[in-house]
Amino acid sequence: MPDWEKRFRAPRVGLPDWAEDAPDRSLFVSNATGTYELYAWDRSTGEQRQATKRPNGTTDGLLSPDGAWIWWFSDTDGDEFGVWLRQPFGGGEDEPATPGLEPSYPAGLALGRDGTAVVGRSTDEEGSTVHVLRPGAEPVEIYRHRESAGVADLSHDGTLIAVEHTEHGDAMHSALRVLRLDGTVVAELDDTKGGTEELGLSCLGFAPFDGDSRMLVGHQRSGRWEPMIWDPVSGEETALAIDLPGDIDAEWFPPPSERTSSREAGGAGASPDGPALLIEQSHQARSKLWRYEPASHELTLLETPPGTVSGATPRPDGSVEFLWSSAALPPVVRSTTGRAVLDPPGMKAPESVPVTDVWVDGPGGRVHALVQKPDGEGPFPTVFDIHGGPTWHDSDAFAAGPAAWVDHGFAVVRVNYRGSTGYGREWTDALKHRVGLIELEDIAAVREWAVESGLSDPERLVLAGGSWGGYLTLLGLGTQPDAWALGLAAVPVADYVTAYHDEMEALKAMDRTLLGGTPEEVPERFEASSPLTYVDQVRAPVYISAGVNDPRCPIRQVENYVRRLEERGAPHEVYRYEAGHGSLVVEERIKQLRLEIDFAERYLRAG
């Protein structure tokens, strides 16, 4: 078995989530069976059991605060439309968790200590709704709006609900509303000022104590994401003095466990002055963890290796568990105590090559790119592997796909174009109206550097990506036809107008924000940003893969684009598979990448 396949097949585990009142009970995701599913883990006994088993996998799950129940979302073959089910933590039959609610897209879930559930839902017909389900009672709707909204959290005592909403019409910048369980409004926090300012808010969680109404809130008031503390009952806002570069996320440390002392936790126990915060710093494609004491403003670095922390959670003993990797080293769940938390048995993923940072002057400022290359001297055939989102970023983290291309003799370049997170609010928000074209300007600047530096062979440049990266691939092949020898587009937007009309409601709202309206209101912008507009200019061979149940980049608009390629007799191949926006089945992922590599090698060799 080649190393690149081993990296996909090696058993992996995600960061365990744990029950707030039963911290020995945890839930995690693993691909141990070849499909990503949910697993229950009793830390007190060491027992692990597979909780879900479906042909197309399951990743959305949550433990009830007492650890008695596993809630998981059941859709149909990856279409993201379904209902919540639950099963006993120790095993048993699944049962409907939200009786009385019809299937929908999920929009947040919060579980109370008395059995109450607060369920966020989204449908094309109803828009966004929030329902309260008390044990033995019918669901009660407490919120409804056409624009996107979702349940963010429920206070520790179960009396306050935090809702993130975009009623102001800007889907990129949410506001916060705190409700009681009967739907009455406690407080509002809206940095957009009714949609006139591009400043977002996010709920980072209520304080983990009864009677404490404070909430951690992420805000963008200083040009980046950083936390503050807001009390929706009193209205008091408390700024946090965290002098670190990059975007800053935060989470409350839980109350200390009665069974552990600060000595046992490596000196990281709870502060006598109040709850500490776990700070996650994301800066220039890497991340660090810190402990912050709000009372004293003391900031302490928690030791993690250089690379990327893809998630972290503080434990009641004061330690922190985190999922870490680098481009060269596979992911592992570690603890600040120094031990590995979960080490799945079986084959270990082979290492890859480290990533190199490149900064290139672009039309909108300095563009950060990450480069991996094989042994030997260039210029190399090069894959520009473009990330999705668009509000996401590539980082110094392990990725089996880029590592596979390196194994096959390709250099890989990943570009954090305008629209990417981690470089400040202005960089992320730069996409408005000239959607797709702005990102491609940054990619073109990095492409020019790659050729001039001797890294890349200009005759063997591959534009590739999935989701938004797939969209940029098709758009780039049409608007920059002389720049690329080949295109590989996975689950792409191909026909923007048809995609808008067929996609889930939350993405319609995002597109209206990005482009300034609907296709009927701003047809010229949709036309300028649609790959279908430029399909007749595409010269490079195109490989497209698409999920037939995809609600984000629906299949009909892909077929419209493919039909135009066929009419021209343009070289292309299409692979359709029975899933949604990607696959949770390991063999399917390997198959898709094998087809892409074969397509690239055949056409580049022929060229």
Side-chain angles (χ1 to χ4, degrees):
M1 186 188 303
D3 280 353
W4 76 267
E5 292 188 23
K6 291 179 182 177
R7 295 191 191 98
F8 282 93
R9 292 195 174 100
R12 292 192 188 183
V13 292
L15 182 69
D17 187 20
W18 52 274
E20 295 177 17
D21 298 334
D24 281 342
R25 294 192 166 189
S26 294
L27 187 69
F28 64 89
V29 175
S30 176
N31 67 339
T33 63
T35 301
Y36 284 87
E37 296 285 3
L38 295 171
Y39 287 76
W41 175 28
D42 188 332
R43 296 176 186 238
S44 64
T45 65
E47 181 183 357
Q48 298 177 7
R49 102 180 152 79
Q50 185 177 341
T52 56
K53 184 179 181 181
R54 302 194 302 155
N56 285 293
T58 313
T59 58
D60 293 336
L62 184 68
L63 286 172
S64 60
D66 60 4
W69 294 94
I70 297 171
W71 286 56
W72 62 276
F73 192 75
S74 176
D75 65 355
T76 302
D77 294 330
D79 67 358
E80 302 181 43
F81 195 85
V83 297
W84 287 98
L85 301 179
R86 70 175 191 172
Q87 65 175 255
F89 180 84
E93 294 297 320
D94 292 310
E95 63 181 46
T98 57
L101 293 181
E102 295 297 317
S104 67
Y105 297 111
L109 172 69
L111 303 178
R113 285 164 171 76
D114 63 353
T116 297
V118 184
V119 184
R121 303 170 63 255
S122 172
T123 67
D124 294 341
E125 296 76 20
E126 297 174 312
S128 302
T129 60
V130 175
H131 289 78
V132 173
L133 280 79
R134 298 181 185 271
E138 292 294 313
V140 177
E141 182 182 300
I142 63 167
Y143 178 91
R144 176 184 289 258
H145 200 276
R146 284 302 311 171
E147 297 292 346
S148 57
V151 175
D153 199 16
L154 180 66
S155 63
H156 192 270
D157 59 12
T159 62
L160 301 175
I161 301 166
V163 174
E164 294 182 3
H165 71 84
T166 59
E167 295 176 7
H168 46 274
D170 181 352
M172 293 183 69
H173 302 94
S174 295
L176 292 175
R177 179 172 300 152
V178 176
L179 309 171
R180 296 186 179 88
L181 267 69
D182 62 1
T184 57
V185 177
V186 176
E188 305 263 7
L189 196 61
D190 181 10
D191 281 7
T192 73
K193 298 179 182 179
T196 61
E197 300 282 346
E198 293 183 338
L199 293 173
L201 296 168
S202 64
C203 171
L204 304 179
F206 281 103
F209 303 98
D210 277 345
D212 192 336
S213 55
R214 293 177 302 163
M215 180 196 302
L216 271 175
V217 173
H219 68 90
Q220 298 179 300
R221 297 172 183 177
S222 300
R224 61 163 186 175
W225 281 107
E226 58 186 313
M228 68 177 184
I229 297 175
W230 175 49
D231 189 334
V233 175
S234 70
E236 181 180 4
E237 297 180 13
T238 304
L240 302 177
I242 302 175
D243 186 17
L244 296 171
D247 283 341
I248 307 297
D249 199 1
E251 184 177 349
W252 301 96
F253 268 88
S257 168
E258 296 179 359
R259 295 181 299 157
T260 59
S261 67
S262 60
R263 181 187 299 271
E264 292 170 325
S271 164
D273 298 319
L277 303 180
L278 173 64
I279 301 299
E280 298 182 44
Q281 175 197 13
S282 175
H283 180 55
Q284 297 183 353
R286 289 163 183 87
S287 50
K288 294 181 180 179
L289 298 178
W290 304 77
R291 180 186 175 89
Y292 178 75
E293 305 289 348
S296 64
H297 308 301
E298 182 181 359
L299 192 63
T300 304
L301 178 66
L302 303 179
E303 290 299 326
T304 60
T308 296
V309 174
S310 300
T313 180
R315 293 280 293 166
D317 65 358
S319 66
V320 176
E321 296 177 351
F322 57 95
L323 180 62
W324 174 91
S325 72
S326 69
L329 299 176
V332 60
V333 181
R334 298 179 178 228
S335 169
T336 51
T337 62
R339 62 183 177 86
V341 177
L342 280 174
D343 186 17
M347 178 174 56
K348 303 303 180 185
E351 297 179 5
S352 186
V353 299
V355 72
T356 300
D357 296 84
V358 173
W359 291 88
V360 177
D361 289 330
R366 297 262 287 168
V367 185
H368 189 197
L370 304 175
V371 177
Q372 290 172 281
K373 60 182 181 179
D375 291 334
E377 295 295 324
F380 301 101
T382 301
V383 174
F384 277 71
D385 185 16
I386 309 304
H387 72 73
T391 51
W392 189 250
H393 68 271
D394 278 314
S395 61
D396 182 9
F398 196 78
W405 286 106
V406 173
D407 284 2
H408 284 80
F410 289 76
V412 177
V413 178
R414 291 179 283 173
V415 182
N416 283 331
Y417 51 76
R418 277 172 288 173
S420 302
T421 54
Y423 301 88
R425 179 177 65 84
E426 185 177 345
W427 190 261
T428 302
D429 288 351
L431 295 192
K432 294 293 183 65
H433 303 168
R434 293 183 62 245
V435 174
L437 305 174
I438 287 175
E439 302 95 295
L440 287 169
E441 289 175 354
D442 294 341
I443 294 167
V446 178
R447 184 194 70 235
E448 183 177 352
W449 164 85
V451 172
E452 292 181 351
S453 69
L455 171 73
S456 302
D457 180 347
E459 302 301 319
R460 294 185 293 170
L461 295 177
V462 179
L463 188 58
S467 191
W468 197 264
Y471 158 64
L472 293 177
T473 294
L474 296 184
L475 189 63
L477 294 179
T479 59
Q480 303 169 352
D482 297 326
W484 307 103
L486 197 78
L488 306 170
V491 289
V493 174
D495 169 4
Y496 217 141
V497 173
T498 302
Y500 175 87
H501 289 300
D502 289 359
E503 68 194 4
M504 58 202 303
E505 185 61 37
L507 292 183
K508 285 188 173 73
M510 179 61 76
D511 284 339
R512 290 194 297 271
T513 297
L514 288 172
L515 290 156
T518 67
E520 291 70 33
E521 293 166 339
V522 287
E524 72 286 351
R525 291 179 182 168
F526 274 82
E527 181 180 11
S529 293
S530 178
L532 188 65
T533 302
Y534 312 97
V535 66
D536 291 340
Q537 280 71 57
V538 173
R539 300 177 186 175
V542 188
Y543 177 89
I544 299 174
S545 59
V548 298
N549 301 314
D550 191 345
R552 298 175 180 268
C553 299
I555 192 68
R556 184 168 72 105
Q557 52 95 29
V558 173
E559 302 291 10
N560 291 346
Y561 187 91
V562 171
R563 192 175 304 113
R564 289 282 294 274
L565 290 175
E566 292 173 343
E567 290 171 355
R568 291 179 49 221
H572 70 281
E573 292 181 14
V574 183
Y575 174 68
R576 304 167 182 85
Y577 56 97
E578 294 290 334
H581 198 60
S583 176
L584 298 175
V585 180
V586 171
E587 290 301 323
E588 178 62 34
R589 292 184 176 186
I590 292 172
K591 178 181 180 181
Q592 291 181 25
L593 186 53
R594 185 184 292 119
L595 289 171
E596 289 184 352
I597 292 171
D598 176 69
F599 184 86
E601 290 183 334
R602 278 189 287 117
Y603 277 98
L604 292 182
R605 190 165 51 242

